[in-house]
Amino acid sequence: MKLNERSVAHYALSDSPADHTGFLRTWGGPGTPSTPSGTGRRCWFVLKGNLLFSFESREGRAPLSLVVLEGCTVELAEAPVPEEFAFAICFDAPGVRPHLLAAEGPAAQEAWVKALSRASFGYMRLVVRELESQLQDARQSLALQRRSSWKSVAGRCKPQAPNHRSVGLENGHSLSKDSSPVGLVEEGGSRSSGRGLAEWELQGPASLLLGRGQSPVSPETSCFSTLHDWYGQEIMELRQCWQQRAQRSQPKCEEQDKP
Amino acid sequence: MRYNEKELQALSRQPAEMAAELGMRGPKKGSVLKRRLVKLVVNFLFYFRTDEAEPVGALLLERCRVIREEPGAFSISFIEDPERKYHFECSSEEQCQEWMEALRRASYEFMRRSLVFYRNEIRKVTGKVCAGLQRAGVGLQVAEAVLRPWLMATRPPHRTPWSSSAYPRRPGSS
């Protein structure tokens, strides 16, 4: 089976964050017997996401091996020689032997077992989803809390429409005329300014896309990937515009003014 | 570079986020467009001959660029050689759009950024919280506490992996 090995190796060596690194002894590799024996080979291991790379040394310019950590469990194991601090990466796949590794001390062993157990894509996805829902909960709680305190100051302030939230988004970009940086607006302290829920609204991309009749990103859209896509669209459009401008002799690019 | 091919092949049989028959052309000059069953599983894109069970190949999707080519087509290239492109042709503009979005999100790096984003957002929201909302404190530690039962559940129930004493060997292991 082919693999884009050059890109994989490049990723291994890149400055993208490693989740864990360290020296481990490994059994298995060209020329080693099928049954692990001896003290193993000491290699420099780098864990990035669900990929475990090994190198000859810390300065190695090319990875020796890659173990893709999906569908595996990590378990403590008895090393072949009475070696301590050994553990194994075990796969469910048929005909696959566990990958045996040994750390250099109990702390390192525990740290590696923990790190490798959490290395799967599925685990990361769960964590992200959990945080996403916790953010939604936190925002809802905050919004509820705000509404109850607004009621107490309603007498003093100019009354806003009770369903301000649903209307506010369409009006949002006209309310927020100051040029804040693109992104979620920081909650300001003032409640009486009438901005109210406008504080939640996105500037920039939302206003750009509102003009096209698309539903803007709302406070409920706390999903990172949706936000990522919205910003991405704007950037792509800008890029096209700049490219067209570069091709024309006179720059006459039609672009919505950003607030 | 050695890699665990058998495990990767097993991964290609897992439920896919997206799978479709697309036209695919490799990066080499003079490559011909071929019909391939293309399957997105975690951060790998597998491609199969339409009548075969084992994949022809896999692409790791970290640090890749997904760009629109002609209408209904996109390409994947990698940061170290942006001109070396894997071309894909879809049956509709919609399908093309769907695939591009899915592929852009299909990396561990993307998820890592999402994680940082949500943590910051949570901190922003809960940082402004009044006294009545102490329970809204969230963070990765809480998320992990919530997920620990899931973590433990993926292991065979009679094992406690953290303890080293009396650890039975898996049957058939060497």
Side-chain angles (χ1 to χ4, degrees):
Chain A
M1 186 179 75
K2 289 190 251 183
L3 180 66
N4 54 332
E5 284 188 43
R6 213 184 318 171
S7 309
V8 175
H10 188 266
Y11 175 64
L13 291 162
S14 72
D15 57 0
S16 60
D19 294 295
H20 205 67
T21 58
F23 284 103
L24 293 171
R25 268 162 304 136
T26 176
W27 287 260
T32 57
S34 57
T35 328
S37 62
T39 51
R41 186 182 173 185
R42 190 172 183 258
C43 296
W44 176 252
F45 280 82
V46 175
L47 174 66
K48 284 190 180 184
N50 56 353
L51 306 169
L52 181 65
F53 296 99
S54 73
F55 295 84
E56 179 97 46
S57 68
R58 235 165 156 157
E59 298 78 34
R61 297 309 302 152
L64 289 174
S65 75
L66 160 65
V67 180
V68 178
L69 298 164
E70 290 291 330
C72 62
T73 54
V74 185
E75 298 161 350
L76 299 173
E78 291 167 43
V81 186
E83 294 280 356
E84 295 167 294
F85 322 125
F87 54 96
I89 305 173
C90 307
F91 287 88
D92 266 333
V96 174
R97 282 184 296 120
H99 296 253
L100 195 61
L101 296 163
E104 301 192 318
Q109 180 192 37
E110 193 181 327
W112 270 106
V113 173
K114 261 191 191 166
L116 292 168
S117 305
R118 294 168 194 185
S120 75
F121 202 81
Y123 177 87
M124 184 57 143
R125 193 150 41 193
L126 266 171
V127 172
V128 170
R129 282 194 192 144
E130 176 60 29
L131 284 181
E132 195 179 351
S133 73
Q134 284 179 348
L135 177 60
Q136 277 178 353
D137 290 345
R139 279 182 170 165
Q140 276 163 16
S141 308
L142 191 63
L144 279 169
Q145 219 227 1
R146 281 217 167 127
R147 279 198 208 120
S148 56
S149 25
W150 284 332
K151 279 177 192 156
S152 69
V153 299
R156 281 186 276 130
C157 293
K158 196 173 172 179
Q160 298 292 324
N163 56 344
H164 180 80
R165 193 190 193 87
S166 55
V167 179
L169 291 170
E170 279 73 50
N171 293 334
H173 65 288
S174 64
L175 285 174
S176 43
K177 284 203 169 70
D178 50 314
S179 57
S180 319
V182 166
L184 289 168
V185 182
E186 292 291 322
E187 284 95 48
S190 66
R191 293 181 213 129
S192 54
S193 66
R195 286 185 53 143
L197 286 161
E199 294 171 282
W200 292 98
E201 287 141 7
L202 282 181
Q203 303 187 355
S207 59
L208 186 72
L209 294 161
L210 278 169
R212 285 146 211 258
Q214 287 173 320
S215 57
V217 180
S218 73
E220 281 72 45
T221 314
S222 55
C223 174
F224 178 80
S225 56
T226 312
L227 288 168
H228 179 92
D229 290 343
W230 286 123
Y231 288 120
Q233 279 188 26
E234 189 203 4
I235 288 165
M236 287 198 312
E237 275 146 13
L238 282 171
R239 189 167 166 262
Q240 272 178 2
C241 203
W242 291 328
Q243 283 174 341
Q244 284 162 11
R245 223 198 299 184
Q247 287 164 8
R248 294 186 205 143
S249 52
Q250 275 176 0
K252 266 184 188 167
C253 181
E254 297 268 306
E255 218 181 302
Q256 279 194 19
D257 282 341
K258 285 171 55 174
Chain B
M1 181 183 71
R2 282 180 296 118
Y3 62 93
N4 51 339
E5 188 164 335
K6 279 209 187 109
E7 290 91 314
L8 210 51
Q9 280 170 342
L11 184 64
S12 76
R13 294 190 281 269
Q14 294 308 307
E17 179 137 342
M18 284 190 67
E21 197 181 302
L22 303 176
M24 181 177 173
R25 201 167 75 230
K28 292 201 182 115
K29 281 220 176 345
S31 288
V32 179
L33 192 77
K34 292 172 182 154
R35 301 299 298 170
R36 290 285 181 258
L37 174 61
V38 179
K39 205 171 162 187
L40 175 61
V41 183
V42 298
N43 49 351
F44 282 91
L45 189 68
F46 295 100
Y47 47 100
F48 302 72
R49 285 195 189 90
T50 50
D51 54 350
E52 287 179 3
E54 295 300 340
V56 173
L59 296 176
L60 173 72
L61 297 168
E62 299 294 333
R63 299 258 167 132
C64 72
R65 270 173 64 200
V66 182
I67 352 177
R68 176 64 61 95
E69 298 290 333
E70 64 273 15
F74 65 89
S75 68
I76 301 176
S77 59
F78 296 90
I79 207 167
E80 79 279 359
D81 196 351
E83 291 313 306
R84 205 163 174 272
K85 294 177 179 180
Y86 295 82
H87 283 265
F88 295 88
E89 280 180 21
C90 304
S91 54
S92 70
E93 195 50 50
E94 269 169 350
Q95 192 188 40
C96 184
Q97 193 62 35
E98 234 188 301
W99 272 96
M100 287 178 71
E101 281 169 14
L103 289 166
R104 285 195 182 117
R105 294 195 279 266
S107 69
Y108 208 95
E109 296 294 312
F110 180 86
M111 287 216 293
R112 218 194 286 273
R113 288 197 294 271
S114 308
L115 194 90
V116 170
F117 171 78
Y118 287 126
R119 279 168 77 178
N120 285 340
E121 288 303 304
I122 287 166
R123 204 177 301 138
K124 270 195 248 174
V125 172
T126 59
K128 315 273 187 205
V129 153
C130 316
L133 281 173
Q134 289 113 344
R135 280 177 56 80
V138 292
L140 190 55
Q141 293 86 351
V142 176
E144 285 191 318
V146 167
L147 291 164
R148 194 157 295 130
W150 173 85
L151 251 189
M152 293 309 184
T154 59
R155 290 189 176 78
H158 63 281
R159 290 201 177 106
T160 45
W162 308 116
S163 68
S164 58
S165 58
Y167 189 74
R169 274 205 181 275
R170 279 165 68 92
S173 68
S174 48

